[in-house]
Amino acid sequence: MTEREPVRLDGKVAIVTGSGRGLGRAYVQALAAAGAAVVVNDIDADVAEKTAEEIRGAGGRAVAEVCAVGSAESADALVGRAVSEFGRLDVMCTNAGALRDRTLVKVTDEEFDLVVDSHVRGTFTCGRAAVRRFREQGGGGRLILVGSPAGQYGGFGQTAYAASKAAIIAMVRVWSVETAKLGVTVNAIVPTALTRMAATIPALTEAVAAVEAGGPVPADLRRRGIGTVEDVAPLVVYLSSDEAAGVTGQYLGFGGDKFAIWAHPKEAFVTHRDGGWSADQLAEDFAGFAEHLQSHTPPGR
């Protein structure tokens, strides 16, 4: 059996938003290790530059671009930096975003706007700027959007975050169709890892602390798809590669020892009535519909 060549990204240029820490940092480090030149983005100049320095110190190519995602100006600056430093853009990974855990009656307008602006508008503006550049270059390119289990299942106290992540999945559905003629692939990763964000979940607080102290991730968590940030990075490398040219319009769960392909939405039950329904007729017929209603309990609840 012929040994398979390793997945390489030599000659490619990638931007990862929110990549000074956590999952984003793992993504840029893995992309650079595979040969890509990377733009490290964060709102914290110190962590962005430190991550870029670490990559350069390991023999990679990296620059830091400090800005908050959301505005068109920030997106254009990120793409412009990639082009001015490395001559082109091949991959845009929209990882950045804020989290404010609040139940519906407690979330403020300002908190809601912050989360939605960073995730939804940040993904939109960065995706748009990247595709414009891909088109200028003659086509081809990768959009890797970042979803969350919260956007698939919902989550207690995550009105703004879950809504934002669900919107990002909707963007995958639209953009993968719109950009197909350009040879651009659009996918979402749905990562799970023991990050600072995960530490806010009571059931994972101790595990995050243990891993930060240098301990292993418990085997049961890994089986459930929860591991380190480094566990998720290979999926970003693969989706950025030529090997993944035929993969688009997908939402891929990844973490720990688990890989998952999420299903597209579909109707769970359909029936018809000539002339339609009145409210009274619905009240009569709903007893027969009830067995098809979908239960909803997010994992861990």
Side-chain angles (χ1 to χ4, degrees):
M1 183 175 179
T2 304
E3 186 174 346
R4 203 180 191 291
E5 290 292 324
V7 174
R8 295 292 301 171
L9 303 175
D10 301 297
K12 297 189 184 296
V13 179
I15 298 168
V16 180
T17 64
S19 51
R21 297 186 176 94
L23 282 164
R25 179 173 176 268
Y27 301 159
V28 285
Q29 288 179 327
L31 289 165
V38 296
V39 177
V40 180
N41 161 252
D42 208 278
I43 58 175
D44 187 324
D46 291 339
V47 300
E49 187 54 49
K50 180 180 179 183
T51 297
E53 286 177 357
E54 289 172 348
I55 291 170
R56 292 193 294 267
R61 295 182 296 159
V63 294
E65 181 69 17
V66 179
C67 62
V69 300
S71 70
E73 291 77 14
S74 292
D76 290 342
L78 284 164
V79 172
R81 186 70 186 281
V83 174
S84 65
E85 292 284 346
F86 305 118
R88 60 181 293 108
L89 177 66
D90 300 281
V91 180
M92 172 67 80
C93 178
T94 56
N95 172 73
L99 174 67
R100 296 293 184 274
D101 279 344
R102 298 285 189 275
T103 56
L104 174 61
V105 296
K106 293 182 179 179
V107 66
T108 68
D109 291 358
E110 293 76 17
E111 289 168 335
F112 185 86
D113 289 345
L114 171 66
V115 175
V116 172
D117 191 61
S118 61
H119 288 282
V120 181
R121 182 172 288 276
T123 297
F124 159 64
T125 55
C126 288
R128 181 179 61 183
V131 171
R132 285 174 174 169
R133 180 62 196 178
F134 296 157
R135 186 172 57 188
E136 289 173 12
Q137 293 173 175
R142 303 284 186 266
L143 291 184
I144 302 172
L145 314 187
V146 180
S148 166
Q152 307 293 86
Y153 292 117
F156 188 89
Q158 294 184 332
T159 290
Y161 183 70
S164 297
K165 290 303 190 181
I168 287 169
I169 298 300
M171 290 178 183
V172 171
R173 295 179 192 138
V174 176
W175 294 355
S176 61
V177 175
E178 290 182 348
T179 64
K181 62 185 177 182
L182 295 174
V184 175
T185 67
V186 186
N187 296 285
I189 61 172
V190 183
T192 48
L194 295 171
T195 62
R196 291 188 308 159
M197 188 178 292
T200 65
I201 302 171
L204 297 178
T205 302
E206 289 186 8
V208 173
V211 169
E212 289 179 345
V217 179
D220 65 313
L221 286 184
R222 291 193 61 86
R223 190 71 176 173
R224 285 165 48 196
I226 303 170
T228 66
V229 294
E230 289 78 16
D231 289 324
V232 182
L235 181 57
V236 177
V237 173
Y238 169 72
L239 290 175
S240 300
S241 73
D242 294 340
E243 307 254 359
V247 181
T248 194
Q250 303 300 308
Y251 343 125
L252 305 173
F254 205 57
D257 299 333
K258 181 180 177 182
F259 170 80
I261 299 175
W262 285 86
H264 296 289
K266 62 181 181 179
E267 295 170 325
F269 167 72
V270 177
T271 189
H272 301 87
R273 180 181 179 83
D274 291 341
W277 279 266
S278 65
D280 290 339
Q281 189 64 54
L282 278 172
E284 180 178 334
D285 291 352
F286 224 88
F289 301 163
E291 65 179 295
H292 301 286
L293 295 178
Q294 304 295 290
S295 63
H296 174 63
T297 304
R301 297 291 174 185

